[in-house]
C-alpha cells in the first residue's frame, strides 16, 4: 500500500470514528440486544453531528456533504429520529 493512500484514509478519521461506532451498534443489534444497539447507532450519528459542528470543513472530510447548517440539520434529524425510534419501538420477542 502506498503511503499516500494510507494518509488519505487517516485524514478521514471523523468518518471512520462514526462508522466504527455504528458498526459496533450493528453488531450489538445482531447479538439480540436491539435497544442497546440502536441507541449506540443513534449515538454514532449524534457523534457525527458534534464532529461536523466543531471541526473545520478542511478536517471534517467526508462528513462534509453540503453546507454546515444542512449537514447538521440532516444528521441531527436522523440521529434524533433513530434515538426516538429505538426507545419507542418494543424490542422483538
Amino acid at each position: 500500500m502506498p503511503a499516500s493512500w494510507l494518509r488519505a484514509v487517516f485524514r478521514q478519521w471523523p468518518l471512520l470514528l462514526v462508522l466504527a461506532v455504528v458498526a459496533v451498534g450493528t453488531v450489538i443489534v445482531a447479538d439480540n440486544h436491539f435497544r442497546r444497539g440502536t441507541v449506540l447507532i443513534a449515538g454514532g450519528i449524534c457523534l457525527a453531528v458534534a464532529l461536523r459542528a466543531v471541526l473545520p470543513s478542511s478536517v471534517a472530510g467526508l462528513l462534509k456533504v453540503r453546507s454546515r447548517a444542512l449537514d447538521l440539520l440532516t444528521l441531527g434529524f436522523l440521529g434524533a429520529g433513530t434515538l426516538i425510534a429505538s426507545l419507542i419501538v418494543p424490542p422483538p420477542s
Side-chain angles (χ1 to χ4, degrees):
M1 271 188 224
S4 62
W5 185 84
L6 284 174
R7 276 194 303 266
V9 169
F10 286 123
R11 268 184 280 165
Q12 300 302 325
W13 69 266
L15 180 64
L16 293 174
L17 181 62
V18 169
L19 289 177
V21 172
V22 170
V24 169
T26 304
V27 169
I28 291 172
V29 168
D31 193 36
N32 263 346
H33 297 288
F34 173 78
R35 185 153 297 162
R36 285 184 213 156
T38 53
V39 167
L40 190 58
I41 291 169
I45 298 168
C46 291
L47 175 64
V49 172
L51 289 173
R52 181 66 177 112
V54 300
L55 293 176
S57 293
S58 61
V59 179
L62 291 174
L63 284 180
K64 177 182 160 261
V65 178
R66 303 277 183 204
S67 69
R68 184 182 306 265
L70 189 58
D71 287 345
L72 292 176
L73 184 67
T74 304
L75 286 169
F77 182 73
L78 182 62
T82 305
L83 182 62
I84 291 168
S86 70
L87 296 175
I88 291 176
V89 174
S93 50

